[in-house]
């Protein structure tokens, strides 16, 4: 027997995946996960997701689940799911900032928003993964979402309408603490005996930061330079697993392997000239820091938006590795982050009072587009 599930396939920022109304799915999370795995064609040893809708990469194997938030006008609940490719694992520990940009437009298109105003409609989004609120400012005309526009983002060809995302009080999205270990820098020892400095910061999503030079890297590497080095990837993932335990996300490194989406691993370096994946020259004076992130064990071709928010917040916390690299640029209204596909500018409002640090808000700008509306078919 075939089963048909209504969904809208959307690009959000530099990611894409299906957006579902929660009412279209089972209320049981285990059943939901099995459905998602089937829809995306996961548990595929070839890594191609050939028997499903997934794109064979972490950035194209994402799902958004939305419902009306009871008792609150212009508010929705949003759950993010990272659907693994080679296994039936569905990770719900953290959020995806890029796919967050689809939630406001999807909610308006599906009649979940009462007060639609022009030129922008504010949609209050409660992310169930992190228990945090995101305010999306969605362009609207004649009661309809505007998708076309002249705003360009690195990693996406062409232009579209600009969507502003304000991540409110992003501290402790997963661990409930901005600095999960209580330190701006932690010293860890790896299996090969190397001692290394890391910073673990949890804002929008938890990240573990490492200096590129401590890994023997320049900092401007592209995916093929990292993904084809299994020993290097194993070392990065080991650091991620150690950080997971230190942050209290996992009880041990074995459990950390089963929670691959958080914390996210990120190596950072000072600004330098490099060529983006799109062939665009990025000049030293155009950026304040370089950052490269892993996504589900591979180098992200751009930069996770939640990662960008975390970098922006970490830059304003005195003593973190990010803060040490950006230096005086930490005082700017916007931080310019050089990544594989170009530049991401983020804003962060952080209050520092001695040892007390509070992240009040992080802001980014994205675009989104509907790719397909229809029904996904699976064998029931």
């Amino acid at each position: 027997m075939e089963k048909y599930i209504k969904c809208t396939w959307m690009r959000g920022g530099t990611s894409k995946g299906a957006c579902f109304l929660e009412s279209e799915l089972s209320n049981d999370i285990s059943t939901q996960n099995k459905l998602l795995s089937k829809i995306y064609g996961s548990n595929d040893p070839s890594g191609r997701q050939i028997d499903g809708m997934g794109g064979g990469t972490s950035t194209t194997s994402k799902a958004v689940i939305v419902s009306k938030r009871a008792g609150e006008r212009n508010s929705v609940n949003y759950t993010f799911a990272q659907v693994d490719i080679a296994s039936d694992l569905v990770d719900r520990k953290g959020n995806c900032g890029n796919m967050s940009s689809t939630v406001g437009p999807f909610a308006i298109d599906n009649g979940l928003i009462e007060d639609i105003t022009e030129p922008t409609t504010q949609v209050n989004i409660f992310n169930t993964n992190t228990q945090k609120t995101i305010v999306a400012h969605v362009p609207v005309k004649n009661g309809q979402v505007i998708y076309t526009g002249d705003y360009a983002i690195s990693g996406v060809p062409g232009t579209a309408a600009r969507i502003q995302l304000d991540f409110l009080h992003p501290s402790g999205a997963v661990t409930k603490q901005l600095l999960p270990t209580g330190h701006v820098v932690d010293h860890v020892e790896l299996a090969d005996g190397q001692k290394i400095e890391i910073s673990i910061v949890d804002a929008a999503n938890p990240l573990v930061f490492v200096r590129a030079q401590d890994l023997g890297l320049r900092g401007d590497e592209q995916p093929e330079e990292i993904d084809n080095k299994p020993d290097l990837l194993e070392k990065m993932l080991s650091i991620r697993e150690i950080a997971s335990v230190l942050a209290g996300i996992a009880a041990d490194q074995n459990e950390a392997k089963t929670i691959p989406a958080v914390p996210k691993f990120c190596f950072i370096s000072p600004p330098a000239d490099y060529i983006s994946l799109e062939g665009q020259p990025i000049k030293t004076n155009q950026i304040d820091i370089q950052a490269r992130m892993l996504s589900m064990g591979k180098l992200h071709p751009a930069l996770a938006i939640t990662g960008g928010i975390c970098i922006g917040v970490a830059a304003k916390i005195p003593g973190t590795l990010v803060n040490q690299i950006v230096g005086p640029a930490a005082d700017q209204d916007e931080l310019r982050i050089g990544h594989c596909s170009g530049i991401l500018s983020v804003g962060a409002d952080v209050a520092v009072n001695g040892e007390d640090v509070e992240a009040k808000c992080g802001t980014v700008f994205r675009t989104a587009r509907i790719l397909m509306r229809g029904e996904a078919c699976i064998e029931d």
Side-chain angles (χ1 to χ4, degrees), residues 242-256:
I242 291 170
S244 182
V245 177
L246 288 176
I249 296 171
D252 54 43
Q253 287 186 239
N254 285 329
E255 184 182 4

Side-chain angles (χ1 to χ4, degrees), residues 268-302:
I268 52 178
S269 60
D273 293 353
Y274 69 96
I275 304 296
S276 75
L277 277 175
E278 299 174 343
Q280 174 190 6
I282 306 297
K283 299 297 183 181
T284 302
N285 62 3
Q286 292 179 288
I287 56 177
D288 303 304
I289 188 172
Q290 290 193 84
R292 301 290 188 271
M293 283 182 53
L294 291 189
S295 175
M296 302 298 283
K298 300 290 186 181
L299 198 67
H300 198 298

Side-chain angles (χ1 to χ4, degrees), residues 313-336:
V313 170
K316 293 182 179 291
I317 303 175
T320 66
L321 298 183
V322 178
N323 176 262
Q324 292 176 32
I325 286 178
V326 302
D331 296 327
Q332 299 172 174
D333 291 337
E334 290 189 17
L335 187 76
R336 302 166 301 170

Side-chain angles (χ1 to χ4, degrees), residues 231-248:
D231 291 344
L232 177 60
L233 281 173
E234 183 179 350
K235 188 172 190 175
M236 291 178 176
L237 293 174
S238 175
I239 295 171
R240 194 200 73 82
E241 291 155 10
I242 291 170
S244 182
V245 177
L246 288 176

